[in-house]
Amino acid sequence: MRGLTVFHLLLSSFLLCCFVQLQQPAYAVRKSHVVYLGSHSHGPKPSSADMDSATSSHYDLLASVLGSHERAKEAIYYSYNRHINGFAALLDEDEAAQIRKNPKVVSVFLGQSHKLHTTRSWGFLGQERDGRVRADSAWVKGRFGQNVIIGSLDTGVWPESKSFRDDGYGPVPRKWRGGSKCELYSLSGPRNTTLCNRKLIGAKTFHSAYEIKHGRLTSGISARDEQGHGTHTLSTAGGNFVRNVSVQNNGNGTAKGGSPRARLAVYKVCWGRHSSGDCTDEDLLSAFDQAIDDGVDVLSVSLGRSAVPNVNDMLTNGISIGSFHAISRGIIVVASAGNDGPEPETVTNVAPWIFTIASGSIDREFSNNITLGNGQIIKGTSLAINSVSQRLIPVVLAGNVRLPNATFQDAQLCRPGTLDPRKARGRILLCQRGRSLRPVDKGAEAKRVGALKMILQNDKQLNTRTADAQVLDSSNIPLDGGSHEGETGQYTYFGKKKPLAAMNNAKTFIPIRPAPRVSAFSSRGPNVILPSILKPDVTAPGQDIIAAYSPAASPTNLDSDDRHFNFNALSGTSMACPHAAGIVGLLKTRHPNWSPAMIKSAIMTTASILDNTNRLIEDEQDGRVATPFHYGTGYVKPNIAIDPGLVYDLKTSDYLNLLCFSAYEDRIIEAINYNRPYKCPRSYRLEDFNYPSITLPFLGVKPVNVTRIVTNVGAPGTYTVNVKPPRGFKVVVVPTTLTFQRTNQKKSYMVILQATRLAQTSKPSFGELTWTDGKHRVRSPIVIPQHAKMAV
């Protein structure tokens, strides 16, 4: 293996722009106001005479305040004269106050600017308000991730996307050691014309193992993205601001990444034109090695093994191994937790040196209505655009229109080739979601058999709602209409004779409450490899995320789909991972000398477990309160993470000691320590591994002591601890206060836990401890997966 050069990241200081407070003029200022008068009385189809009369009444009303019709006509620039009754006019404060007193007036209010919202997740994470960047945001404090280098191991990139233009960028940072190699070639110009720039500073391919296993790549070797996944994740992490973006007329607004001024490096490790592309350990390790050598600051890895994690995965997994080497060189690796939820013990990428990200929703929803023949309306998640007509159409259950050689179960799931076109053509097809197929595969089967539309009904296997760019209009409805287990079903109408339904086009709704929720598909803990390390670490937006996409791929990655999008809405922990990577980029820019563990700690200890109704975050699967096995320490809050107060730090030696505890031989430890001699400690307590969360599996009846060390990264001050013990446990923290005289000072504390007679052996128990100085809240979950029975 080629030797890796140690480097120290040095970033220049940049002056923040000053905002000049403009002085108000002495004279009255007219501003745009809406004068709302309710509804018109001229019927559902107003004539031109009706509209003229309404406008005239508006002039009359305003003239009574302004003194003349001429002045009223000058002031009014919109007359709402069809169905909404009211007008928009330029008024000063006194004029608005005067007209507000009129008994005909419902309300008068300043017209606010409603900005269009896409990658709404960054607004939900507090970086924007009403479409404007917040002055107190992590974006501003982290200088939009300026000059941080984010590397992506994925399917490549579509370099022509506006998300990767380099307008306004200076020279490539000197810390970039990747040279000028760029395996991105012009589609129309000479083969030797490459498409990297000052934003997209490198693009390299790793394909040898793939070709060995699958044969030579016939389409040419290029880092160009043919699947869309890599373009989507890269732009989510560090894409530019791109205006006027939407997906099938939904989510209109501005797309942007978490570190929009970052420099980006692409490492293409996944091959194949469709979502089943292969990313081999061998190619991954080569890419990790190259990325470390190139000098990236952050690596975003939205990949993971699909099988249940193996106890040997820490050192038999390309991502785990590559990540260890990256972190030992000061590079933080962010990886997705997996999409095998809601089953427990499915979380992947669980090595303690990896930052593992679960998926949650945001406060935006794309949805439509399904109107049934009995008048009932069901709300579904959708991107439908061709459902203008509200004509009722017969609904057929997929299991009832199967081919003779197909099983009911396969047909119910709309597996390819199981349905009879003679029975489904011209109808709305109702498919069960299950876990065996992607929703877009079911949509393809529905279109193949001539269905006009599809209803995708969730079931107990997976109750998640995603807006997919289906090949025909569809709507994804929740399990039993969203009711909780045990309640009466709401879909009994579908079982009646000759059910009918109509579907309308999708619309965008903001804000949705409650939000966030943990995505039902997001893989969950406990961590089966290292039960003492809580995984996932945190949760980030991963549901219906709009970002750049490759027009070489169809939005569904189906051969039968000939559509091409520049932006697409995707869901998965693959989308959550680059959100966290973008936030890491902001912290790396703000705090260039922080270790990967410090950055990870800052994000973990400031994450929230409350939704936007100030209640505990719920699990999308069943609506019940989620736990740290679902969301880790909580949902990311970048504006707080940028100034966490205290952090938990870890060095490479801490990870080596953990491997010693995991029974790896000294020779193995020395080998991964770059063949430097390393002596495993004679005594080591995994409980004292300085992780930002505290997890104690198989806790017995005797008290257990846990030690943690915190580093002050803020001003001098005193922190006081507050403890919420896990149910059935007594928790004591010593000392209860920590006083810091300087920045970077370290202090240790001990947590003593003991089970009481109220402890339940069969259920996990959760608590938390929080250090606060009045400004900062440094929170760590306490997790007891299971424990021994109390002696009676």
Side-chain angles (χ1 to χ4, degrees):
M1 176 181 288
R2 182 174 37 159
L4 302 175
T5 305
V6 178
F7 69 93
H8 297 283
L9 179 65
L10 297 174
L11 290 177
S12 301
S13 299
F14 291 86
L15 295 176
L16 295 175
C17 294
C18 298
F19 293 93
V20 179
Q21 180 69 41
L22 297 177
Q23 295 295 320
Q24 292 291 333
Y27 53 88
V29 176
R30 282 190 165 83
K31 297 181 180 179
S32 179
H33 289 74
V34 174
V35 180
Y36 177 49
L37 305 172
S39 299
H40 288 293
S41 58
H42 45 226
K45 295 182 179 180
S47 65
S48 59
D50 290 332
M51 292 186 287
D52 289 342
S53 175
T55 298
S56 180
S57 70
H58 297 158
Y59 292 147
D60 290 342
L61 179 59
L62 189 55
S64 67
V65 173
L66 301 184
S68 72
H69 277 77
E70 289 75 15
R71 292 186 62 192
K73 289 181 179 180
E74 289 177 358
I76 293 176
Y77 63 94
Y78 272 133
S79 175
Y80 308 123
N81 55 14
R82 290 174 170 80
H83 304 284
I84 299 173
N85 187 6
F87 56 88
L90 295 173
L91 306 172
D92 64 33
E93 291 183 4
D94 291 340
E95 292 163 347
Q98 190 174 350
I99 200 169
R100 191 177 284 116
K101 298 176 183 178
N102 191 301
K104 295 180 180 179
V105 173
V106 175
S107 61
V108 179
F109 53 93
L110 281 169
Q112 298 294 316
S113 177
H114 289 253
K115 297 295 181 180
L116 299 172
H117 296 286
T118 289
T119 316
R120 161 70 185 175
S121 47
W122 297 112
F124 185 54
L125 293 176
Q127 304 313 292
E128 299 172 303
R129 182 183 290 121
D130 298 328
R132 298 177 183 272
V133 176
R134 290 177 48 166
D136 61 346
S137 68
W139 268 352
V140 172
K141 294 179 180 178
R143 301 195 300 279
F144 298 92
Q146 184 167 329
N147 287 337
V148 70
I149 301 175
I150 299 177
S152 172
L153 276 63
D154 214 298
T155 65
V157 65
W158 191 261
E160 291 87 355
S161 172
K162 293 180 180 179
S163 293
F164 310 121
R165 288 183 175 176
D166 65 353
D167 300 340
Y169 283 79
V172 174
R174 290 183 179 180
K175 63 183 177 180
W176 171 248
R177 300 192 302 270
S180 59
K181 185 176 181 180
C182 178
E183 296 181 65
L184 288 168
Y185 309 107
S186 173
L187 292 174
S188 56
R191 172 74 178 178
N192 61 358
T193 302
T194 58
L195 300 175
C196 291
N197 55 33
R198 290 170 296 179
K199 170 74 171 178
L200 189 59
I201 61 176
K204 301 173 183 179
T205 62
F206 305 86
H207 49 82
S208 296
Y210 178 88
E211 288 190 314
I212 289 172
K213 296 179 180 181
H214 301 281
R216 290 187 63 82
L217 292 162
T218 58
S219 59
I221 306 301
S222 167
R224 184 175 292 278
D225 183 11
E226 296 181 334
Q227 295 184 29
H229 188 275
T231 301
H232 196 281
T233 57
L234 187 65
S235 64
T236 301
N240 291 322
F241 288 84
V242 182
R243 299 181 183 274
N244 300 320
V245 166
S246 67
V247 176
Q248 298 196 160
N249 299 324
N250 280 283
N252 302 317
T254 300
K256 69 289 248 179
S259 286
R261 297 295 291 178
R263 312 300 180 113
L264 305 175
V266 173
Y267 302 89
K268 184 172 180 178
V269 295
C270 301
W271 301 87
R273 288 190 59 85
H274 306 299
S275 59
S276 58
D278 192 9
C279 327
T280 69
D281 277 332
E282 301 94 326
D283 292 336
L284 277 164
L285 284 170
S286 182
F288 267 108
D289 197 33
Q290 183 66 62
I292 296 167
D293 195 57
D294 288 346
V296 300
D297 298 312
V298 185
L299 277 172
S300 180
V301 187
S302 289
L303 312 170
R305 290 182 175 174
S306 57
V308 175
N310 183 282
V311 293
N312 296 316
D313 265 2
M314 279 196 295
L315 295 184
T316 58
N317 181 309
I319 294 176
S320 179
I321 296 169
S323 299
F324 179 87
H325 286 273
I327 203 168
S328 69
R329 298 303 188 189
I331 302 166
I332 187 166
V333 179
V334 188
S336 47
N339 297 331
D340 292 320
E343 295 301 316
E345 299 183 341
T346 52
V347 61
T348 189
N349 294 323
V350 296
W353 47 82
I354 297 175
F355 197 13
T356 312
I357 314 301
S359 169
S361 65
I362 60 174
D363 67 340
R364 178 190 64 193
E365 185 174 271
F366 308 132
S367 61
N368 68 349
N369 290 332
I370 301 170
T371 303
L372 306 183
N374 62 1
Q376 179 185 354
I377 296 177
I378 300 173
K379 184 179 180 182
T381 302
S382 176
L383 289 174
I385 58 171
N386 296 310
S387 295
V388 177
S389 172
Q390 289 301 289
R391 177 174 62 90
L392 292 171
I393 302 171
V395 179
V396 292
L397 306 185
N400 294 338
V401 296
R402 65 187 183 277
L403 290 167
N405 62 343
T407 66
F408 179 85
Q409 289 76 16
D410 284 347
Q412 189 179 35
L413 294 170
C414 295
R415 287 184 177 275
T418 61
L419 305 181
D420 189 340
R422 294 173 299 175
K423 300 176 182 178
R425 185 175 290 112
R427 291 166 168 78
I428 296 178
L429 184 67
L430 192 149
C431 301
Q432 294 294 315
R433 183 165 193 135
R435 292 202 58 89
S436 57
L437 289 173
R438 299 181 304 151
V440 293
D441 294 319
K442 301 171 189 288
E445 175 68 0
K447 185 176 181 180
R448 182 190 71 81
V449 297
L452 296 180
K453 305 176 192 299
M454 180 181 71
I455 298 173
L456 182 64
Q457 182 181 347
N458 289 347
D459 49 37
K460 290 183 179 180
Q461 291 186 59
L462 185 62
N463 187 30
T464 191
R465 299 202 309 179
T466 55
D468 303 300
Q470 296 277 5
V471 292
L472 78 173
D473 278 2
S474 68
S475 188
N476 183 189
I477 59 178
L479 170 66
D480 201 21
S483 62
H484 288 217
E485 188 176 348
E487 296 182 3
T488 304
Q490 298 183 32
Y491 299 155
T492 55
Y493 175 78
F494 291 129
K496 295 184 179 297
K497 188 177 181 179
K498 296 182 178 180
L500 301 171
M503 183 184 299
N504 65 1
N505 283 338
K507 295 182 179 179
T508 304
F509 294 89
I510 301 172
I512 297 297
R513 299 176 187 275
R517 304 177 96 190
V518 177
S519 304
F521 57 75
S522 187
S523 292
R524 286 98 195 280
N527 179 350
V528 298
I529 295 178
L530 277 175
S532 295
I533 303 297
L534 177 65
K535 291 288 180 171
D537 289 311
V538 293
T539 299
Q543 215 159 331
D544 297 335
I545 302 302
I546 293 179
Y549 197 69
S550 169
S554 72
T556 60
N557 274 149
L558 295 167
D559 285 330
S560 58
D561 186 0
D562 58 3
R563 299 171 299 164
H564 300 283
F565 291 3
N566 291 319
F567 288 81
N568 199 9
L570 298 179
S571 298
T573 56
S574 280
M575 284 65 250
C577 168
H579 276 89
I583 296 169
V584 167
L586 297 175
L587 268 68
K588 186 70 175 176
T589 304
R590 177 74 171 183
H591 307 287
N593 296 320
W594 281 12
S595 70
M598 294 169 75
I599 292 174
K600 180 177 174 180
S601 171
I603 298 172
M604 289 178 67
T605 60
T606 57
S608 175
I609 60 173
L610 300 178
D611 61 27
N612 57 4
T613 68
N614 210 34
R615 296 178 180 177
L616 293 173
I617 291 174
E618 297 176 349
D619 180 5
E620 181 190 29
Q621 176 66 18
D622 54 18
R624 295 175 179 172
V625 173
T627 74
F629 288 153
H630 299 81
Y631 52 61
T633 62
Y635 199 88
V636 293
K637 294 289 182 182
N639 292 348
I640 307 175
I642 204 85
D643 178 22
L646 305 176
V647 294
Y648 296 85
D649 198 8
L650 287 163
K651 298 180 177 64
T652 302
S653 59
D654 294 304
Y655 298 118
L656 294 175
N657 289 341
L658 181 143
L659 291 173
C660 290
F661 173 84
S662 302
Y664 286 100
E665 300 176 33
D666 285 358
R667 62 178 180 83
I668 294 177
I669 304 299
E670 291 183 1
I672 64 175
N673 192 38
Y674 303 102
N675 290 310
R676 293 192 296 260
Y678 192 84
K679 195 71 175 177
C680 288
R682 292 185 177 180
S683 62
Y684 179 81
R685 300 181 72 250
L686 185 57
E687 295 90 342
D688 296 336
F689 185 71
N690 206 39
Y691 214 64
S693 55
I694 298 173
T695 306
L696 297 171
F698 311 112
L699 186 64
V701 297
K702 295 182 179 180
V704 172
N705 300 336
V706 176
T707 300
R708 288 291 186 270
I709 301 171
V710 287
T711 303
N712 178 38
V713 293
T718 297
Y719 285 78
T720 303
V721 73
N722 178 55
V723 178
K724 294 181 181 179
R727 180 178 175 81
F729 288 83
K730 181 181 179 181
V731 178
V732 176
V733 179
V734 181
T736 58
T737 61
L738 298 173
T739 299
F740 298 90
Q741 285 80 30
R742 62 185 184 277
T743 303
N744 294 324
Q745 185 178 4
K746 298 180 182 293
K747 294 273 186 174
S748 66
Y749 65 90
M750 180 181 294
V751 184
I752 306 168
L753 300 96
Q754 184 172 22
T756 70
R757 295 184 183 276
L758 296 177
Q760 299 182 26
T761 60
S762 61
K763 294 182 179 180
S765 188
F766 307 97
E768 64 180 33
L769 68 83
T770 304
W771 292 98
T772 181
D773 63 351
K775 176 184 178 182
H776 306 93
R777 294 185 74 255
V778 187
R779 188 180 60 84
S780 295
I782 303 173
V783 178
I784 314 294
Q786 63 185 74
H787 50 89
K789 188 175 182 180
M790 286 288 296
V792 178

